[in-house]
Amino acid sequence: MIGEMQRSERPRADVAEARQELVEKFVRWTKGDAIEATFIPWLTLHTRIKTTSPECYVYEPNLALIVQGSKQVTVGDELFVYDESHFLLTSVDLPVTSCVVAASPDQPYMSLRVKLDLPKIRQMILDYEIQPPRVTPASRGMATGRVTVELLCAFSRLLDVMRTPEHLPVMADLIHREIVYHLLRSEQGGRLWQLAMTGSQSNRIQKVINWLKNHYAEPLRMEDLASLATMSVSSMHHHFREITSMSPLQFQKQLRLQEARRLMLIEDLDAGSAALRVGYDSPSQFSREYSRLFGQPPKRDIRLLRASTARP
């Protein structure tokens, strides 16, 4: 009995030790509130010393691994919470609202984000003949999974390699492939496999998402989107909602409103001009939908954002 208890407790201890080692390496690279680019183009480090208000972003396919703290992400009407024990896998481009929910100066939020290159993942699946899971997973484009010792150790070695930039061209790519391999073998690996392999429903919906990202200001014709996905209109609509947790129209609306916010904040456009630029014909409709997403009318929201970024 004692031997069985020791065996069951060992993996948990190994995870804690591997995470602590990763924390110690992480703090060498970032301090305070920061989103740090690294020598590795597909890796960013995120640190927060306090919780944050909800902010809107578009998440691209990536793996987010929290070293310390926790975060919540809302996609459509679905909430995902992930922390030190759970990674977040995003397998398609998704407009989200996210915020850090556990962080302090003594225990700052720390996370690493790895961009996923789907053509490379597809080639890796073909090269090594990695088979899909026997049980087809749910098709949602975002999910959480349990962090393993193997993932933590791979990230730890990645931070080690960053200390010797001359090794990065070879070693970083090898470690990226290792991270992807562990993802494919994880409980959420089926999602990644589905998207990477041409012809899957996730892959075809990604084509629709790509069109919406590039043409968000244009009117929507569901027949055109269905043709792009090589599906019927009803099938495309169903699978789009299954994967993104929203309809194509809701997806387009979030893209429009996020871009309008950027135009007002960065390019100093007024609300009316920003609304027209992103495809709105009615300023009043734009103001209503903007307030619903961001919690404030456009003018007030931009004023508060500028005031918050101007604080020392």
Side-chain angles (χ1 to χ4, degrees):
M1 179 66 71
I2 294 176
E4 291 178 1
M5 291 177 61
Q6 288 174 336
R7 284 194 297 271
S8 66
E9 291 297 321
R10 181 62 184 273
R12 188 178 303 172
D14 288 344
V15 167
E17 291 167 8
R19 183 181 295 113
Q20 183 56 40
E21 182 179 348
L22 188 53
V23 168
E24 292 169 3
K25 294 177 180 179
F26 187 100
V27 296
R28 302 171 186 165
W29 293 102
T30 183
K31 294 180 180 179
D33 282 334
I35 299 177
E36 300 280 355
T38 68
F39 300 124
I40 304 171
W42 41 263
L43 175 68
T44 53
L45 309 180
H46 299 242
T47 311
R48 291 287 182 265
I49 60 173
K50 59 182 179 181
T51 59
T52 63
S53 302
E55 291 288 344
C56 293
Y57 304 95
V58 175
Y59 277 13
E60 297 178 341
N62 70 75
L63 166 69
L65 183 130
I66 291 178
V67 181
Q68 188 169 269
S70 64
K71 191 173 190 178
Q72 67 181 33
V73 179
T74 303
V75 182
D77 57 0
E78 193 163 0
L79 177 67
F80 295 88
V81 180
Y82 65 112
D83 53 21
E84 301 163 4
S85 300
H86 299 85
F87 63 78
L88 182 75
L89 175 64
T90 306
S91 56
V92 296
D93 299 88
L94 291 171
V96 307
T97 302
S98 69
C99 60
V100 174
V101 293
S104 68
D106 293 334
Q107 288 192 308
Y109 167 87
M110 305 176 184
S111 74
L112 306 97
R113 184 170 297 166
V114 170
K115 292 182 181 179
L116 300 175
D117 187 323
L118 297 177
K120 287 186 178 180
I121 294 172
R122 178 164 58 250
Q123 190 59 52
M124 181 176 170
I125 289 171
L126 295 172
D127 288 345
Y128 295 100
E129 300 181 353
I130 299 173
Q131 298 300 310
R134 294 180 181 178
V135 178
T136 303
S139 57
R140 191 73 81 212
M142 179 175 282
T144 60
R146 187 162 294 280
V147 173
T148 62
V149 172
E150 291 81 8
L151 270 178
L152 291 169
C153 290
F155 275 100
S156 186
R157 289 197 304 278
L158 191 59
L159 294 186
D160 286 339
V161 172
M162 284 172 53
R163 302 179 70 182
T164 53
E166 66 271 21
H167 296 163
L168 285 177
V170 174
M171 297 303 298
D173 184 61
L174 292 174
I175 297 173
H176 187 280
R177 289 166 70 86
E178 180 185 352
I179 290 169
V180 169
Y181 175 73
H182 291 311
L183 278 181
L184 288 168
R185 286 176 52 84
S186 75
E187 59 197 297
Q188 301 301 342
R191 300 172 190 270
L192 200 53
W193 195 98
Q194 276 191 336
L195 184 65
M197 299 307 290
T198 303
S200 70
Q201 291 169 350
S202 296
N203 189 278
R204 286 187 280 170
I205 293 301
Q206 179 65 56
K207 293 179 181 178
V208 177
I209 291 172
N210 289 342
W211 190 93
L212 289 170
K213 285 178 62 182
N214 294 322
H215 303 275
Y216 57 81
E218 299 178 20
L220 281 189
R221 292 188 72 253
M222 294 301 165
E223 294 81 3
D224 292 341
L225 297 183
S227 176
L228 191 63
T230 61
M231 297 177 177
S232 67
V233 171
S234 60
S235 180
M236 181 278 298
H237 203 277
H238 170 75
H239 290 299
F240 193 98
R241 184 175 286 278
E242 279 291 306
I243 289 170
T244 68
S245 192
M246 63 191 88
S247 70
L249 187 61
Q250 291 170 322
F251 193 100
Q252 180 199 48
K253 185 185 300 182
Q254 289 212 24
L255 293 178
R256 284 181 168 185
L257 293 171
Q258 288 194 32
E259 175 61 10
R261 196 187 205 197
R262 187 194 70 80
L263 290 170
M264 289 185 288
L265 185 62
I266 305 301
E267 300 188 21
D268 205 27
L269 265 64
D270 61 77
S273 299
L276 288 173
R277 179 84 69 87
V278 301
Y280 277 90
D281 296 323
S282 167
S284 59
Q285 181 186 2
F286 169 74
S287 183
R288 285 195 305 272
E289 294 182 352
Y290 189 102
S291 299
R292 193 175 299 125
L293 180 61
F294 297 115
Q296 301 281 356
K299 188 174 181 179
R300 186 186 307 165
D301 177 58
I302 297 303
R303 184 173 65 246
L304 291 173
L305 281 173
R306 286 179 175 152
S308 66
T309 56
R311 291 174 191 147

